[in-house]
Amino acid sequence: MSTFLGMPSLPVFGTGNLHASESFPKAAHRELGNAQLRANLGHATHTIRDKRLKVVAELPDWEQLRDAGSAIKESVMARLPELLEQFEENFTARGGVIHWARDAEEANGIVAGLIRDTGETEVVKVKSMATQEIGLNEYLEEQGIAAFETDLAELIVQLDHDKPSHILVPAIHKNRTEIRDIFLREMPGADPHLTDDPAVLAMAARAHLRRKFLTAKVAVSGANFALADSGTLAVVESEGNGRMCLTLPETLITVMGVEKLLPGWQDLEVFMQLLPRSSTGERMNPYTSLWTGVTKGDGPQDMHLVLLDNGRSAALADEMGRSALHCIRCSACMNVCPVYERTGGHAYGSTYPGPIGAILSPLMTGIEAEENNSLPYASSLCGACYDACPVKINIPDILVHLRSVDVDSKRGKKKIPTQMDVGMKAASWALSSGKRLGLVEKGLPIGRLAAGRDRKITKLPGIAGGWTQSRDIPAPPAESFRTWWAKEHQRPEIEGARKPPQDKGDQA
Amino acid sequence: MSARDDILGRIRSALRDGPEAPQIPRKYRATSGLDQAALIELLVDRLIDYKAHVSVVDAVEVPTRIAELLADAKCYVVPTGLDAGWLAGLDHETGDRRRRLDSPAAPLPVAELDGIDAVVTGSAVAVAETGTIILDGSPNQGRRAISLVPDHHICVVKAADIAGILPDALRRINGTRPLTMISGPSATSDIELERVEGVHGPRKLDVIIAR
């Protein structure tokens, strides 16, 4: 197949839960008004940040592991077609069946069809970002199939009919009391005397899900890694819900983005050191399962893998942005982000929040999709995310790149110049010569008038109002530095009188 | 065009600029350089940190220790390939009536496993630095389900099978076997990031390190 040569296809963007349906500043403004959310998030992100730092500091070769991880992922992207074909061959040879899905809709259809083939109407699910991204649970519900989330945090979110707000700890925005209340309200047969002790709540979840695990015939999972040279898949987890889903049912359907591949077994030693320390701040997560196709007499005998594009090829086509696909979904970038820490994940709209989401979502959907062009601005560009990223994705650089993509996409589309266009034009005129700037600065005293007696300007007009929305501007000085300098230096007789006689040698 | 060809075509098209696959710098550690005594000490420290129970015994004492740990179990399961002699402390004259045997050829139903209190298995390799034990489904470890459903897992680690760090450990096993990496009892940090031990997997993990 080489028909694509010579006929460059346009990037085909992803669909599903990848969009901000309202602009980030608007959504952030609303979320910031929730004091409980901010308290929960502040506590959680700081806790996990400290844990991560502690366990990362234990490894003398952390930076060498990051270098290897980054290079392995870069290599995977460069060799992606070849590695996918190799993986397909190995997975198939081991008794698995591969399905390819161009977008969310196609993937959902495939999974629902596979479940229908088993005759079952219930499935258990291991936490998976990919299925979140394609909106699988909602789709299955429409098809009359009940999907039970089994990860504790996903269960909390599902019971509360809420959306995850963090890729690792989806219920990070809820505190223990809120979770207790959700269980009492939504969990059938919950003990009315349930306390808000996390251990008690975890036991309630165990009791609630135990039956489901033991009787489920079909499980749906994601995958953290896939090894091309053997067809092996890996799921990294903590609670044992993953092991239950991957081991006990007869049919296992895994949904995985095409970028999750690693070339081979040796690469796992790098990523299994990087991921747990970066995500939960543990030396190792409690459970990791690896399976290579079907093993006779052990685990599911009917094994499927849905390989998902859904905009990943579009992200790959962006030379500056493609390294966003190196992401291993550890969530370290959100935990250190000063913006995420305050707004939480819901403000980003997409399944992928935080710094990585601010680049990944618009790369996968195209910058013009809904309000996704507001996401690259959801950052102060402080660079904390880049420092924390285990595979060294240069998120700040990609944010800046996407801002320029956004500006370019708007160019030539508007007939009437916006306030920003006019402002930028004016600034360009004024800042291009000292004389012009001096002229503009003569207008400063007007600002003093606007400031009034408290010498603060609290509200600027037009789009400049965005600046004063959350801060005041001090009144401008009575004269500009330029004016002051000129005045001072027009009095040579005073200058001369003050200065000691100059030495000729000094002047040379 | 099939979805497969379509997607591969899109990816090839996305890579039109021909990015080069870089050399992988593997300058990270391959081994820990620790001797066996230090490896045992480190593994014990890490396991205790995860709230696992650990005993370090001489190989000959393994049967006694297993018998002690199983004292309260009404019934327990073992894989048919469990190392001969490990259950000697329980055999007496007639064999232990609490014992259930499991193998891929004769697997116990899940419902029956759910009623079993404990499981005894061996292990393939352990990682001292991370407190991780890896099971690979060999006959002395059995099917994955038996070390998952019972609430108490008693796992024997031979001192010679302790690797210092993960790269060393992964080099010792076959990646295509059904693998389970276990680092402590099941746990969750999903509620306010406070770690709680014991969720769906075995809530109690006893590790016997055999010198």
Side-chain angles (χ1 to χ4, degrees), chain A residues 4 8 44 61 88 102 153 176 203 206 210 214 238-239 265 267 269 282-284 286-288 290 297-298 309 322, chain B residues 1 4 6 10 16-17 26 28-29 114 143 149 170 179 181 183 187-188 190 192-195 198-200 203:
Chain A
F4 64 93
D61 53 352
E88 180 186 37
R102 297 175 182 90
R176 59 185 73 192
M203 279 317 99
R206 176 185 165 101
R210 188 85 182 165
L214 300 182
S238 297
E239 298 167 13
W265 178 247
D267 302 308
E269 70 191 22
E282 292 168 303
R283 295 186 179 112
M284 190 61 86
Y287 297 135
T288 298
L290 292 123
D298 188 351
D309 178 2
R322 66 168 56 124
Chain B
M1 195 189 283
R4 176 188 187 276
D6 214 4
R10 288 177 189 178
R16 253 182 322 227
D17 58 308
R26 295 193 193 269
Y28 52 85
R29 294 168 301 156
D114 190 34
R143 295 187 302 138
V149 179
L170 293 189
L179 298 175
M181 299 168 63
S183 305
T188 183
D190 279 350
E192 295 185 19
L193 290 162
E194 189 170 297
R195 189 176 157 108
V199 197
H200 305 296
R203 287 181 283 187

Short mmCIF file of all heavy atoms in Angstrom, two decimals, chain A residues 4 8 44 61 88 102 153 176 203 206 210 214 238-239 265 267 269 282-284 286-288 290 297-298 309 322, chain B residues 1 4 6 10 16-17 26 28-29 114 143 149 170 179 181 183 187-188 190 192-195 198-200 203:
data_model
loop_
_atom_site.label_atom_id
_atom_site.label_comp_id
_atom_site.label_asym_id
_atom_site.label_seq_id
_atom_site.Cartn_x
_atom_site.Cartn_y
_atom_site.Cartn_z
N PHE A 4 -0.75 6.51 -0.79
CA PHE A 4 -0.73 7.82 -0.13
C PHE A 4 0.39 8.69 -0.67
O PHE A 4 0.36 9.89 -0.55
CB PHE A 4 -0.57 7.64 1.38
CG PHE A 4 0.73 7.02 1.75
CD1 PHE A 4 1.82 7.82 2.05
CD2 PHE A 4 0.88 5.65 1.75
CE1 PHE A 4 3.04 7.24 2.36
CE2 PHE A 4 2.08 5.07 2.07
CZ PHE A 4 3.16 5.87 2.37
N PRO A 8 -0.73 14.00 -0.64
CA PRO A 8 -0.72 14.34 0.78
C PRO A 8 -2.13 14.49 1.33
O PRO A 8 -2.91 15.28 0.82
CB PRO A 8 0.01 15.69 0.81
CG PRO A 8 -0.04 16.22 -0.57
CD PRO A 8 -0.11 15.03 -1.46
N ALA A 44 -4.51 18.16 47.46
CA ALA A 44 -4.13 16.95 46.73
C ALA A 44 -2.88 17.17 45.87
O ALA A 44 -1.96 16.35 45.89
CB ALA A 44 -5.30 16.50 45.85
N ASP A 61 19.95 7.84 38.91
CA ASP A 61 19.98 7.91 37.45
C ASP A 61 18.66 8.41 36.86
O ASP A 61 18.30 8.06 35.73
CB ASP A 61 20.33 6.54 36.87
CG ASP A 61 19.44 5.42 37.38
OD1 ASP A 61 18.63 5.68 38.31
OD2 ASP A 61 19.53 4.29 36.88
N GLU A 88 1.02 -5.82 15.36
CA GLU A 88 -0.16 -6.52 14.86
C GLU A 88 0.15 -7.99 14.56
O GLU A 88 -0.61 -8.89 14.92
CB GLU A 88 -0.66 -5.82 13.58
CG GLU A 88 -1.88 -6.46 12.97
CD GLU A 88 -2.24 -5.82 11.63
OE1 GLU A 88 -1.33 -5.46 10.87
OE2 GLU A 88 -3.45 -5.67 11.36
N ARG A 102 -10.64 4.56 13.17
CA ARG A 102 -10.19 5.89 12.72
C ARG A 102 -10.54 6.97 13.73
O ARG A 102 -9.80 7.91 13.93
CB ARG A 102 -10.86 6.25 11.40
CG ARG A 102 -10.53 5.34 10.23
CD ARG A 102 -11.37 5.77 9.03
NE ARG A 102 -11.17 4.94 7.85
CZ ARG A 102 -11.89 3.84 7.58
NH1 ARG A 102 -12.83 3.44 8.43
NH2 ARG A 102 -11.66 3.14 6.49
N ALA A 153 -11.77 5.74 42.07
CA ALA A 153 -12.06 7.13 41.72
C ALA A 153 -13.03 7.21 40.55
O ALA A 153 -13.94 8.05 40.54
CB ALA A 153 -10.78 7.87 41.39
N ARG A 176 -13.35 13.54 51.22
CA ARG A 176 -13.89 12.30 51.76
C ARG A 176 -15.37 12.40 52.13
O ARG A 176 -16.13 11.46 51.94
CB ARG A 176 -13.05 11.83 52.95
CG ARG A 176 -12.97 12.83 54.08
CD ARG A 176 -12.03 12.37 55.17
NE ARG A 176 -10.63 12.46 54.76
CZ ARG A 176 -9.62 11.91 55.42
NH1 ARG A 176 -9.87 11.21 56.52
NH2 ARG A 176 -8.38 12.06 55.01
N MET A 203 -13.48 -0.08 51.55
CA MET A 203 -14.12 -1.38 51.81
C MET A 203 -15.53 -1.43 51.23
O MET A 203 -15.99 -2.47 50.75
CB MET A 203 -14.16 -1.67 53.32
CG MET A 203 -12.86 -2.22 53.88
SD MET A 203 -12.10 -3.49 52.84
CE MET A 203 -10.87 -2.55 51.99
N ARG A 206 -15.14 -2.20 47.69
CA ARG A 206 -14.79 -3.61 47.49
C ARG A 206 -16.05 -4.48 47.54
O ARG A 206 -16.29 -5.30 46.66
CB ARG A 206 -13.81 -4.07 48.58
CG ARG A 206 -13.46 -5.55 48.51
CD ARG A 206 -12.58 -5.98 49.68
NE ARG A 206 -12.54 -7.44 49.80
CZ ARG A 206 -11.52 -8.20 49.36
NH1 ARG A 206 -10.49 -7.65 48.79
NH2 ARG A 206 -11.57 -9.51 49.52
N ARG A 210 -17.34 -6.61 44.28
CA ARG A 210 -16.87 -7.99 44.35
C ARG A 210 -17.71 -8.92 43.45
O ARG A 210 -17.19 -9.68 42.66
CB ARG A 210 -16.93 -8.46 45.81
CG ARG A 210 -16.30 -9.82 46.05
CD ARG A 210 -14.81 -9.69 46.26
NE ARG A 210 -14.18 -10.99 46.45
CZ ARG A 210 -12.86 -11.18 46.38
NH1 ARG A 210 -12.07 -10.16 46.12
NH2 ARG A 210 -12.35 -12.36 46.57
N LEU A 214 -16.63 -11.22 40.05
CA LEU A 214 -16.64 -12.68 40.04
C LEU A 214 -17.59 -13.25 39.00
O LEU A 214 -17.47 -14.42 38.63
CB LEU A 214 -17.01 -13.21 41.44
CG LEU A 214 -16.03 -12.79 42.55
CD1 LEU A 214 -16.44 -13.38 43.89
CD2 LEU A 214 -14.59 -13.17 42.22
N SER A 238 -3.36 -0.07 40.88
CA SER A 238 -3.10 -0.15 42.31
C SER A 238 -4.03 -1.08 43.07
O SER A 238 -3.62 -1.74 44.01
CB SER A 238 -3.25 1.24 42.96
OG SER A 238 -2.31 2.13 42.45
N GLU A 239 -5.28 -1.07 42.71
CA GLU A 239 -6.29 -1.65 43.60
C GLU A 239 -6.52 -3.13 43.41
O GLU A 239 -7.10 -3.79 44.27
CB GLU A 239 -7.62 -0.90 43.40
CG GLU A 239 -7.51 0.56 43.78
CD GLU A 239 -8.71 1.38 43.30
OE1 GLU A 239 -9.73 0.78 42.90
OE2 GLU A 239 -8.61 2.61 43.33
N TRP A 265 10.86 -5.36 24.90
CA TRP A 265 10.92 -5.71 26.31
C TRP A 265 11.89 -4.82 27.10
O TRP A 265 11.58 -4.37 28.19
CB TRP A 265 11.34 -7.18 26.43
CG TRP A 265 11.49 -7.71 27.81
CD1 TRP A 265 12.64 -8.10 28.41
CD2 TRP A 265 10.45 -7.90 28.78
NE1 TRP A 265 12.39 -8.53 29.69
CE2 TRP A 265 11.05 -8.41 29.94
CE3 TRP A 265 9.08 -7.68 28.78
CZ2 TRP A 265 10.32 -8.71 31.10
CZ3 TRP A 265 8.35 -7.97 29.93
CH2 TRP A 265 8.98 -8.49 31.08
N ASP A 267 12.66 -1.85 26.74
CA ASP A 267 12.18 -0.48 26.96
C ASP A 267 11.28 -0.38 28.19
O ASP A 267 11.13 0.67 28.80
CB ASP A 267 11.44 0.00 25.72
CG ASP A 267 12.34 -0.05 24.51
OD1 ASP A 267 13.46 0.50 24.59
OD2 ASP A 267 11.97 -0.68 23.50
N GLU A 269 11.83 -1.56 31.08
CA GLU A 269 12.62 -1.29 32.28
C GLU A 269 12.77 0.22 32.50
O GLU A 269 12.93 0.68 33.63
CB GLU A 269 14.01 -1.96 32.20
CG GLU A 269 14.93 -1.32 31.17
CD GLU A 269 16.19 -2.15 30.89
OE1 GLU A 269 16.18 -3.36 31.15
OE2 GLU A 269 17.17 -1.56 30.40
N GLU A 282 5.06 6.75 44.00
CA GLU A 282 5.44 5.52 44.69
C GLU A 282 6.66 4.93 43.99
O GLU A 282 6.89 5.17 42.81
CB GLU A 282 4.30 4.49 44.60
CG GLU A 282 3.08 4.88 45.39
CD GLU A 282 1.89 3.99 45.04
OE1 GLU A 282 1.50 3.92 43.87
OE2 GLU A 282 1.33 3.39 45.97
N ARG A 283 7.40 4.11 44.74
CA ARG A 283 8.55 3.45 44.12
C ARG A 283 8.06 2.50 43.04
O ARG A 283 8.69 2.32 42.01
CB ARG A 283 9.33 2.66 45.17
CG ARG A 283 9.95 3.57 46.21
CD ARG A 283 10.83 2.78 47.15
NE ARG A 283 11.43 3.68 48.11
CZ ARG A 283 11.13 3.67 49.41
NH1 ARG A 283 10.26 2.81 49.89
NH2 ARG A 283 11.70 4.53 50.22
N MET A 284 6.93 1.86 43.33
CA MET A 284 6.29 1.01 42.32
C MET A 284 4.81 0.95 42.68
O MET A 284 4.45 0.97 43.85
CB MET A 284 6.91 -0.39 42.34
CG MET A 284 6.49 -1.28 41.19
SD MET A 284 6.93 -0.66 39.56
CE MET A 284 8.60 -1.29 39.38
N PRO A 286 1.21 -0.85 43.17
CA PRO A 286 0.97 -2.20 43.72
C PRO A 286 0.89 -3.31 42.67
O PRO A 286 1.49 -4.37 42.86
CB PRO A 286 -0.35 -2.04 44.47
CG PRO A 286 -0.34 -0.61 44.92
CD PRO A 286 0.31 0.14 43.79
N TYR A 287 0.19 -3.10 41.57
CA TYR A 287 0.05 -4.19 40.60
C TYR A 287 0.31 -3.75 39.16
O TYR A 287 -0.19 -2.72 38.72
CB TYR A 287 -1.38 -4.76 40.63
CG TYR A 287 -1.79 -5.38 41.94
CD1 TYR A 287 -3.04 -5.09 42.49
CD2 TYR A 287 -0.97 -6.27 42.61
CE1 TYR A 287 -3.46 -5.67 43.68
CE2 TYR A 287 -1.37 -6.86 43.81
CZ TYR A 287 -2.61 -6.55 44.34
OH TYR A 287 -3.02 -7.12 45.51
N THR A 288 1.07 -4.55 38.45
CA THR A 288 1.18 -4.37 37.00
C THR A 288 0.92 -5.73 36.35
O THR A 288 1.51 -6.74 36.76
CB THR A 288 2.58 -3.88 36.61
OG1 THR A 288 2.79 -2.61 37.22
CG2 THR A 288 2.72 -3.74 35.09
N LEU A 290 0.94 -7.95 32.79
CA LEU A 290 1.40 -8.02 31.40
C LEU A 290 0.87 -9.30 30.79
O LEU A 290 0.95 -10.37 31.41
CB LEU A 290 2.93 -8.02 31.34
CG LEU A 290 3.61 -6.73 31.77
CD1 LEU A 290 4.57 -7.01 32.90
CD2 LEU A 290 4.34 -6.13 30.60
N GLY A 297 -5.62 -21.74 29.46
CA GLY A 297 -5.84 -22.11 30.85
C GLY A 297 -5.61 -20.99 31.84
O GLY A 297 -5.69 -21.19 33.05
N ASP A 298 -5.26 -19.80 31.39
CA ASP A 298 -5.02 -18.69 32.31
C ASP A 298 -5.52 -17.38 31.71
O ASP A 298 -4.95 -16.87 30.75
CB ASP A 298 -3.51 -18.60 32.61
CG ASP A 298 -3.22 -17.59 33.73
OD1 ASP A 298 -4.14 -16.85 34.14
OD2 ASP A 298 -2.06 -17.54 34.18
N ASP A 309 -6.89 5.74 16.30
CA ASP A 309 -6.22 6.94 15.79
C ASP A 309 -6.84 8.17 16.46
O ASP A 309 -6.23 8.81 17.31
CB ASP A 309 -6.35 7.01 14.26
CG ASP A 309 -5.70 8.28 13.69
OD1 ASP A 309 -5.14 9.07 14.47
OD2 ASP A 309 -5.77 8.50 12.46
N ARG A 322 4.47 17.13 17.70
CA ARG A 322 4.28 15.67 17.75
C ARG A 322 4.79 15.03 19.03
O ARG A 322 4.30 13.97 19.42
CB ARG A 322 4.89 14.99 16.51
CG ARG A 322 6.38 15.06 16.37
CD ARG A 322 6.88 14.10 15.25
NE ARG A 322 6.27 14.33 13.96
CZ ARG A 322 6.96 14.59 12.82
NH1 ARG A 322 8.29 14.65 12.85
NH2 ARG A 322 6.35 14.77 11.69
N MET B 1 -11.34 1.95 1.41
CA MET B 1 -10.08 1.56 2.05
C MET B 1 -10.35 1.09 3.48
O MET B 1 -11.19 1.67 4.17
CB MET B 1 -9.13 2.78 2.09
CG MET B 1 -7.69 2.41 2.39
SD MET B 1 -6.66 3.86 2.69
CE MET B 1 -6.41 4.45 1.03
N ARG B 4 -7.56 0.05 8.71
CA ARG B 4 -6.13 -0.21 8.94
C ARG B 4 -5.26 0.54 7.93
O ARG B 4 -4.33 1.27 8.31
CB ARG B 4 -5.88 -1.71 8.81
CG ARG B 4 -4.44 -2.12 8.92
CD ARG B 4 -4.27 -3.60 8.59
NE ARG B 4 -2.90 -4.02 8.85
CZ ARG B 4 -1.90 -3.87 7.98
NH1 ARG B 4 -2.12 -3.30 6.81
NH2 ARG B 4 -0.69 -4.27 8.30
N ASP B 6 -6.12 2.98 6.04
CA ASP B 6 -6.36 4.40 6.16
C ASP B 6 -5.49 5.01 7.26
O ASP B 6 -4.80 6.02 7.08
CB ASP B 6 -7.85 4.61 6.51
CG ASP B 6 -8.40 5.86 5.88
OD1 ASP B 6 -7.66 6.52 5.14
OD2 ASP B 6 -9.58 6.18 6.14
N ARG B 10 -2.42 7.59 6.97
CA ARG B 10 -2.40 8.89 7.65
C ARG B 10 -1.08 9.07 8.41
O ARG B 10 -0.49 10.15 8.42
CB ARG B 10 -3.53 8.98 8.67
CG ARG B 10 -4.92 9.12 8.10
CD ARG B 10 -5.87 9.11 9.29
NE ARG B 10 -7.27 9.03 8.91
CZ ARG B 10 -8.27 8.97 9.81
NH1 ARG B 10 -7.99 8.95 11.10
NH2 ARG B 10 -9.51 8.91 9.42
N ARG B 16 5.87 12.60 6.73
CA ARG B 16 6.47 12.93 5.43
C ARG B 16 7.82 13.63 5.55
O ARG B 16 8.66 13.54 4.69
CB ARG B 16 5.54 13.84 4.65
CG ARG B 16 4.85 13.15 3.50
CD ARG B 16 4.01 14.15 2.78
NE ARG B 16 3.41 15.07 3.74
CZ ARG B 16 2.14 15.42 3.75
NH1 ARG B 16 1.34 14.95 2.84
NH2 ARG B 16 1.67 16.26 4.65
N ASP B 17 8.00 14.38 6.65
CA ASP B 17 9.26 15.09 6.82
C ASP B 17 10.41 14.14 7.15
O ASP B 17 11.55 14.58 7.29
CB ASP B 17 9.12 16.15 7.91
CG ASP B 17 8.70 15.55 9.24
OD1 ASP B 17 7.68 14.81 9.27
OD2 ASP B 17 9.36 15.81 10.27
N ARG B 26 21.29 4.55 26.82
CA ARG B 26 20.94 3.74 28.00
C ARG B 26 22.04 3.88 29.04
O ARG B 26 22.79 2.94 29.32
CB ARG B 26 20.72 2.28 27.59
CG ARG B 26 19.51 2.11 26.67
CD ARG B 26 19.11 0.66 26.52
NE ARG B 26 18.17 0.50 25.41
CZ ARG B 26 16.83 0.57 25.56
NH1 ARG B 26 16.31 0.77 26.75
NH2 ARG B 26 16.04 0.43 24.51
N TYR B 28 21.49 4.64 32.14
CA TYR B 28 20.97 4.38 33.49
C TYR B 28 21.56 3.08 34.03
O TYR B 28 22.17 2.29 33.29
CB TYR B 28 19.43 4.33 33.46
CG TYR B 28 18.85 3.40 32.42
CD1 TYR B 28 18.68 2.04 32.69
CD2 TYR B 28 18.49 3.86 31.16
CE1 TYR B 28 18.17 1.18 31.74
CE2 TYR B 28 17.97 3.01 30.20
CZ TYR B 28 17.81 1.67 30.49
OH TYR B 28 17.31 0.82 29.55
N ARG B 29 21.35 2.85 35.33
CA ARG B 29 21.95 1.68 35.98
C ARG B 29 21.35 0.37 35.44
O ARG B 29 20.16 0.30 35.17
CB ARG B 29 21.69 1.71 37.49
CG ARG B 29 22.37 2.85 38.24
CD ARG B 29 21.82 2.95 39.65
NE ARG B 29 20.38 3.18 39.62
CZ ARG B 29 19.55 2.88 40.61
NH1 ARG B 29 20.00 2.31 41.71
NH2 ARG B 29 18.27 3.13 40.50
N ASP B 114 -13.34 -17.85 45.59
CA ASP B 114 -13.81 -16.75 46.42
C ASP B 114 -14.03 -17.20 47.87
O ASP B 114 -13.94 -16.39 48.79
CB ASP B 114 -15.12 -16.20 45.83
CG ASP B 114 -15.55 -14.90 46.49
OD1 ASP B 114 -14.65 -14.12 46.87
OD2 ASP B 114 -16.75 -14.68 46.66
N ARG B 143 -2.02 -20.29 38.02
CA ARG B 143 -2.81 -19.35 37.24
C ARG B 143 -2.90 -18.03 37.99
O ARG B 143 -2.87 -18.00 39.22
CB ARG B 143 -4.24 -19.87 37.07
CG ARG B 143 -4.40 -21.14 36.27
CD ARG B 143 -5.88 -21.41 36.06
NE ARG B 143 -6.63 -21.52 37.32
CZ ARG B 143 -7.83 -20.98 37.52
NH1 ARG B 143 -8.40 -20.26 36.57
NH2 ARG B 143 -8.45 -21.15 38.68
N VAL B 149 -7.80 -13.88 43.88
CA VAL B 149 -9.12 -13.92 44.52
C VAL B 149 -9.04 -14.16 46.05
O VAL B 149 -9.70 -13.45 46.81
CB VAL B 149 -10.04 -14.94 43.81
CG1 VAL B 149 -11.41 -14.98 44.50
CG2 VAL B 149 -10.20 -14.57 42.33
N LEU B 170 14.07 -7.69 35.12
CA LEU B 170 13.36 -7.98 33.87
C LEU B 170 14.21 -8.80 32.92
O LEU B 170 13.70 -9.53 32.07
CB LEU B 170 12.90 -6.68 33.19
CG LEU B 170 11.82 -5.88 33.93
CD1 LEU B 170 11.29 -4.74 33.07
CD2 LEU B 170 10.66 -6.77 34.38
N LEU B 179 2.33 -12.13 33.19
CA LEU B 179 3.11 -11.63 34.33
C LEU B 179 2.27 -10.76 35.25
O LEU B 179 1.43 -9.99 34.80
CB LEU B 179 4.28 -10.78 33.82
CG LEU B 179 5.32 -11.47 32.94
CD1 LEU B 179 6.33 -10.45 32.43
CD2 LEU B 179 6.03 -12.56 33.73
N MET B 181 3.20 -8.14 38.41
CA MET B 181 4.17 -7.50 39.29
C MET B 181 3.44 -7.01 40.51
O MET B 181 2.48 -6.24 40.41
CB MET B 181 4.86 -6.34 38.57
CG MET B 181 5.62 -6.80 37.32
SD MET B 181 6.17 -5.46 36.23
CE MET B 181 7.29 -4.59 37.29
N SER B 183 3.61 -5.20 44.27
CA SER B 183 4.39 -4.38 45.21
C SER B 183 3.49 -4.07 46.40
O SER B 183 2.82 -3.05 46.43
CB SER B 183 4.87 -3.10 44.53
OG SER B 183 5.58 -3.42 43.34
N ALA B 187 -3.89 -1.54 47.05
CA ALA B 187 -3.98 -0.26 47.75
C ALA B 187 -4.65 0.77 46.86
O ALA B 187 -4.73 0.59 45.64
CB ALA B 187 -2.58 0.24 48.13
N THR B 188 -5.14 1.82 47.47
CA THR B 188 -5.68 2.93 46.69
C THR B 188 -5.28 4.24 47.35
O THR B 188 -5.11 4.30 48.56
CB THR B 188 -7.21 2.86 46.56
OG1 THR B 188 -7.65 3.93 45.73
CG2 THR B 188 -7.90 2.96 47.91
N ASP B 190 -7.05 7.00 46.09
CA ASP B 190 -8.01 7.79 45.33
C ASP B 190 -8.81 8.77 46.18
O ASP B 190 -9.47 9.65 45.64
CB ASP B 190 -8.98 6.86 44.59
CG ASP B 190 -8.36 6.35 43.29
OD1 ASP B 190 -7.30 6.86 42.91
OD2 ASP B 190 -8.95 5.46 42.67
N GLU B 192 -8.51 11.66 48.60
CA GLU B 192 -7.61 12.69 49.14
C GLU B 192 -6.15 12.25 49.14
O GLU B 192 -5.36 12.70 49.96
CB GLU B 192 -8.04 13.10 50.55
CG GLU B 192 -9.39 13.79 50.58
CD GLU B 192 -9.74 14.29 51.98
OE1 GLU B 192 -8.84 14.43 52.81
OE2 GLU B 192 -10.94 14.52 52.21
N LEU B 193 -5.81 11.36 48.23
CA LEU B 193 -4.45 10.85 48.09
C LEU B 193 -3.92 10.22 49.36
O LEU B 193 -2.72 10.15 49.60
CB LEU B 193 -3.51 11.96 47.60
CG LEU B 193 -3.80 12.35 46.15
CD1 LEU B 193 -3.21 13.70 45.82
CD2 LEU B 193 -3.26 11.29 45.20
N GLU B 194 -4.82 9.75 50.19
CA GLU B 194 -4.40 9.05 51.40
C GLU B 194 -4.36 7.56 51.08
O GLU B 194 -5.36 6.99 50.63
CB GLU B 194 -5.41 9.32 52.51
CG GLU B 194 -4.95 8.82 53.86
CD GLU B 194 -5.87 9.33 54.96
OE1 GLU B 194 -5.96 10.55 55.15
OE2 GLU B 194 -6.52 8.49 55.61
N ARG B 195 -3.20 6.94 51.31
CA ARG B 195 -3.06 5.54 50.92
C ARG B 195 -3.82 4.62 51.88
O ARG B 195 -3.68 4.71 53.09
CB ARG B 195 -1.58 5.16 50.88
CG ARG B 195 -1.33 3.78 50.27
CD ARG B 195 0.17 3.50 50.17
NE ARG B 195 0.43 2.07 50.12
CZ ARG B 195 0.82 1.43 49.03
NH1 ARG B 195 1.00 2.08 47.91
NH2 ARG B 195 1.04 0.14 49.06
N GLY B 198 -5.40 -2.53 50.89
CA GLY B 198 -6.45 -3.54 50.84
C GLY B 198 -7.68 -3.08 50.11
O GLY B 198 -8.56 -2.48 50.70
N VAL B 199 -7.75 -3.35 48.81
CA VAL B 199 -8.97 -3.05 48.08
C VAL B 199 -9.46 -4.36 47.43
O VAL B 199 -9.97 -5.22 48.14
CB VAL B 199 -8.78 -1.92 47.04
CG1 VAL B 199 -10.14 -1.36 46.63
CG2 VAL B 199 -7.94 -0.78 47.61
N HIS B 200 -9.23 -4.53 46.13
CA HIS B 200 -9.80 -5.72 45.49
C HIS B 200 -8.86 -6.91 45.48
O HIS B 200 -9.30 -8.05 45.50
CB HIS B 200 -10.22 -5.38 44.06
CG HIS B 200 -11.15 -4.22 44.00
ND1 HIS B 200 -12.39 -4.25 44.56
CD2 HIS B 200 -11.00 -2.97 43.48
CE1 HIS B 200 -12.98 -3.08 44.37
NE2 HIS B 200 -12.15 -2.29 43.73
N ARG B 203 -5.86 -8.55 50.51
CA ARG B 203 -5.65 -7.46 51.46
C ARG B 203 -4.46 -7.74 52.37
O ARG B 203 -3.98 -6.85 53.05
CB ARG B 203 -6.93 -7.23 52.26
CG ARG B 203 -8.00 -6.56 51.40
CD ARG B 203 -9.27 -6.28 52.17
NE ARG B 203 -10.05 -7.50 52.34
CZ ARG B 203 -11.27 -7.53 52.87
NH1 ARG B 203 -11.82 -6.41 53.30
NH2 ARG B 203 -11.94 -8.66 52.99
#
